[in-house]
Amino acid sequence: MWLINSSIGRKLVMSISGCVLVLFLLFHLSMNVAAVFSADAYNTICALLGANWYAVAGTVVIAGIISIHFIYALILTLANRKARGNNAYAVKTRPKGVSWASQNMFIIGLVVVGFMLLHFSQFWYKMMFAELIGHHEVELCGGTTPLSPQDGAGFVAYYFSHLWVVIAYLVWYVALWLHLTHGIWSALQTTGLSNGVWLNRWKAVGDILATLIFLGFAFVTLFFYVQSLGGGCC
């Protein structure tokens, strides 16, 4: 099948899966921003997206898309290294107009995936998964009062009250920003939505969208950390 065997097909799968993940990020960001304005509203969303069949199905689909995106990135990276042969590790200056992020997309992607594991362990594992296996309360370290798996606002407030968690997430957001500043316009170009006129426009759109996603997630994280300094979670 050409989507698997050809370089163009692989890039197309990468691009489409990447666009879907950007839409998911925007959805996730809108949820997080809701937590800033109303804990009850955020917990209502968490209840709707708890162990319900549609939320579980959506989680499986998103996990599959992430896996496909990563696997195809690995295949393309290995294929590019093989094509370069002995020049694969040659030290070269970066061509004019080529960003650092575009030359290191796979490494940046590894950082993004690595921090996703931290995120899953702190939120998905203790919320949706805990609810699926029948846990009505989740113990947190440090003697903190147990939380309900549907108390998303409580988990956000707890984890973002720890400085090391905040720093880790900010590093994650920077890596995500670098990945998106190249990935968005590159994906649109691969899908055929770009040309000589629109390329620079899509690059600008990609930079703006990536920056809004970065600032939105960073704002929520820092908001809850600063709130904790005023007497919230330890």
Side-chain angles (χ1 to χ4, degrees), residues 2 20 23 27 39 73 92 95 97 100 109 122 127 129 164 168 170 177 188-189 209 219 222 226 233:
W2 71 276
V20 174
L23 293 177
F27 169 73
K92 299 179 180 178
W100 179 86
Q122 293 178 333
M127 294 177 69
F129 182 76
W164 76 267
L170 291 176
W177 179 82
L188 294 172
Q189 183 182 43
L209 192 55
F219 168 73
L222 292 172
V226 171
C233 295

Side-chain angles (χ1 to χ4, degrees), residues 10-225:
R10 293 166 184 166
K11 289 180 180 179
L12 183 60
V13 171
M14 276 276 294
S15 300
I16 294 174
S17 61
C19 289
V20 174
L21 293 176
V22 170
L23 293 177
F24 173 72
L25 282 173
L26 292 172
F27 169 73
H28 198 336
L29 176 59
S30 66
M31 282 182 55
N32 287 16
V33 171
V36 171
F37 295 99
S38 172
D40 290 336
Y42 185 70
N43 285 343
T44 298
I45 298 173
C46 291
L48 291 172
L49 299 177
N52 301 299
W53 69 267
Y54 50 84
V56 174
T59 300
V60 171
V61 170
I62 291 298
I65 293 173
I66 292 173
S67 299
I68 290 172
H69 193 75
F70 179 78
I71 291 170
Y72 271 69
L74 179 60
I75 292 173
L76 285 169
T77 299
L78 293 176
N80 289 338
R81 285 191 178 277
K82 183 177 180 180
R84 290 198 301 268
N86 293 332
N87 295 323
Y89 299 98
V91 178
K92 299 179 180 178
T93 58
R94 188 165 68 246
K96 183 179 181 180
V98 177
S99 67
W100 179 86
S102 67
Q103 290 190 312
N104 296 276
M105 283 292 281
F106 186 72
I107 296 175
I108 297 171
L110 285 176
V111 175
V112 172
V113 171
F115 277 102
M116 281 175 56
L117 298 177
L118 171 65
H119 182 64
F120 288 158
S121 69
Q122 293 178 333
F123 291 94
W124 177 83
Y125 178 75
K126 295 182 178 179
M127 294 177 69
M128 179 182 284
F129 182 76
E131 194 173 353
L132 284 171
I133 61 178
H135 289 183
H136 301 292
E137 288 188 333
V138 177
E139 295 286 344
L140 298 174
C141 62
T144 305
T145 303
L147 295 175
S148 164
Q150 294 186 353
D151 187 7
F155 283 98
V156 171
Y158 172 76
Y159 283 115
F160 290 160
S161 67
H162 296 78
L163 182 58
W164 76 267
V165 175
V166 172
I167 293 174
Y169 272 77
L170 291 176
V171 171
W172 183 25
Y173 303 151
V174 170
L176 187 62
W177 179 82
L178 289 169
H179 199 71
L180 292 176
T181 52
H182 174 76
I184 292 175
W185 70 261
S186 180
L188 294 172
Q189 183 182 43
T190 300
T191 55
L193 296 177
S194 180
N195 52 41
V197 175
W198 274 92
L199 180 58
N200 289 332
R201 296 176 183 177
W202 284 129
K203 285 184 177 181
V205 169
D207 287 346
I208 293 171
L209 192 55
T211 301
L212 288 176
I213 291 173
F214 165 76
L215 292 176
F217 281 116
F219 168 73
V220 173
T221 301
L222 292 172
F223 174 86
F224 280 97
Y225 178 69

